[in-house]
Amino acid sequence: STTGGNDGIFARTTGASSTTVNVGGTTKGQATGVRAQNFPASTGTVNVNDAGGFAITGVTEDGIQTFAGSGTTNIGSGAGNRITGAVLGGDDGIEATSAGSINVFTGSDITGQGDDGVFASTTGAGVAVVINTTGGAIKAQTDGIDASATAAGSTINVTNTDSVNVATGAGIVAA
């Protein structure tokens, strides 16, 4: 198990290098549970994996938070490699921001106590946001899933089989 006074796990690279976090035990940060970054104008990939079913908690900020330049962000990498532990954030459960493609695959409960359950936003042209949630429940203050792709030629694909419960927003926003 990992507990941090700020972040449970913090990993950052720059340039073409990749950032990979493999969660191997329960992880809790007083701010963010797992923070993985690759920026500023970087092209490397950001990967967060938790196939062991370990809980990830960010008390005041996000459970999982990623920032990337133009490289791909993977929070879970596919249907066979999902985030399988419950994710709880004081703000968002999961937040992924990038100018590249973003993939979020979960298989457990995701809770955003102060904002969204899953927030994924890209500003890159011709890239994709893919969110695939199953095997749990999504609970949020604002939106259950909020996916945005703001540049020309970008796409959004949301597949959800979880129950979605929100206090003030929409179940799923894809814009």
Side-chain angles (χ1 to χ4, degrees), residues 47-72:
N47 302 296
V48 178
N49 301 303
D50 176 19
F54 302 107
I56 300 170
T57 302
V59 176
T60 61
E61 295 182 20
D62 304 322
I64 298 172
Q65 180 188 81
T66 63
F67 292 107
S70 61
T72 299

Side-chain angles (χ1 to χ4, degrees), residues 81-159:
N81 186 21
R82 297 178 180 277
I83 299 295
T84 57
V87 179
L88 171 71
D91 189 35
D92 295 316
I94 295 173
E95 177 183 329
T97 305
S98 177
S101 292
I102 299 171
N103 300 298
V104 178
F105 288 86
T106 66
S108 63
D109 293 342
I110 308 295
T111 303
Q113 293 179 320
D115 201 4
D116 299 327
V118 177
F119 174 81
S121 177
T122 185
T123 57
V127 297
V129 173
V130 175
I131 299 175
N132 186 300
T133 55
T134 189
I138 297 174
K139 299 176 186 170
Q141 176 64 33
T142 309
D143 300 319
I145 297 172
D146 185 348
S148 70
T150 58
S154 294
T155 60
I156 300 170
N157 181 341
V158 176
T159 303

Side-chain angles (χ1 to χ4, degrees), residues 9 12-13 19 37 64 70 79 111 117 150 166:
I9 297 172
R12 176 190 295 170
T13 59
T19 302
Q37 302 175 341
I64 298 172
S70 61
T111 303
T150 58
V166 299

